[in-house]
Amino acid sequence: MDKEKINDYASKLSEALEDKIKVITSIKYHYDLEELASSINKLSENDAEVILEQLINERLEEIKNSPNKDKYRENIKSIDEITDFFIYNNDKSSSVEEGSFVVSDLINKVIGINGRNIKLPLKIEFIKDYCIRNIIDKKDIKKTLLWIVLELTVVSYYLNNVV
């Protein structure tokens, strides 16, 4: 191969790599979930919970009705990679872990894995009283509910737009 062709291939490869690096470095890697949800912080606790309840039920219905719901389990790693972009003030708190646990359990019941089922719509009080374990401080319940909404939104989006 002559020197000119080698330079052409090297140039094309270098350009392709630089284009991808530009895309990667333009991505913001941490989104503050509390900041994104600041609009509900101005509401009363009851009103905020009504909104969170609605969002949880909407996302569970979307997941339940997704033609790709059977692909949930095989895509958990990809879904986790998306939720890793969201933080609570650089804190991987127990609210995140607990919210993920609740989401997994709710989705498995909505999809009907292992014959487990749950009737929708769910009341926020049911989620607070029976789904979120008592390891979560009362002050962190809203944070956990917000994480549940986030993760359900990611799962719904992923199953309905990516898979």
Side-chain angles (χ1 to χ4, degrees):
M1 186 180 296
D2 66 22
K3 183 74 171 164
E4 193 172 302
K5 284 197 177 217
I6 291 172
N7 287 340
D8 285 346
Y9 279 105
S11 180
K12 285 180 184 175
L13 178 56
S14 180
E15 190 176 304
L17 291 171
E18 286 178 15
D19 285 347
K20 293 305 175 194
I21 292 168
K22 284 179 190 174
V23 170
I24 291 168
T25 58
S26 71
I27 297 172
K28 183 176 178 183
Y29 283 96
H30 297 287
Y31 296 91
D32 186 330
L33 188 55
E34 287 179 306
E35 182 182 312
L36 291 171
S38 64
S39 63
I40 66 169
N41 289 338
K42 299 170 187 163
L43 302 175
S44 71
E45 184 177 329
N46 186 55
D47 288 345
E49 287 184 356
V50 167
I51 291 165
L52 294 171
E53 177 182 277
Q54 178 179 330
L55 290 169
I56 289 169
N57 282 302
E58 286 175 359
R59 296 307 166 261
L60 286 171
E61 283 289 343
E62 290 169 2
I63 293 165
K64 179 180 178 181
N65 296 323
S66 173
N68 299 311
K69 66 184 172 198
D70 58 321
K71 303 214 187 271
Y72 165 68
R73 287 177 134 184
E74 61 195 65
N75 288 288
I76 289 175
K77 185 174 188 248
S78 296
I79 291 164
D80 285 345
E81 289 173 353
I82 296 169
T83 59
D84 284 345
F85 279 79
F86 296 87
I87 58 168
Y88 277 125
N89 299 324
N90 295 318
D91 173 28
K92 270 275 194 181
S93 69
S94 56
S95 295
V96 170
E97 186 178 315
E98 183 66 13
S100 291
F101 176 80
V102 170
V103 165
S104 178
D105 192 48
L106 290 174
I107 291 173
N108 286 333
K109 289 175 182 173
V110 163
I111 293 173
I113 293 178
N114 295 331
R116 300 172 69 209
N117 292 301
I118 196 165
K119 186 179 176 190
L120 298 177
L122 299 177
K123 293 290 184 192
I124 201 79
E125 290 304 318
F126 173 83
I127 295 169
K128 288 172 28 179
D129 293 344
Y130 300 107
C131 298
I132 297 174
R133 296 176 295 178
N134 62 0
I135 61 169
I136 301 299
D137 290 334
K138 186 173 180 151
K139 67 179 178 53
D140 291 331
I141 295 282
K142 184 176 175 185
K143 191 186 282 191
T144 305
L145 291 169
L146 190 55
W147 190 267
I148 291 169
V149 169
L150 166 70
E151 199 162 325
L152 287 172
T153 301
V154 170
V155 170
S156 176
Y157 180 86
Y158 194 86
L159 293 177
N160 290 304
N161 296 291
V162 179
V163 177

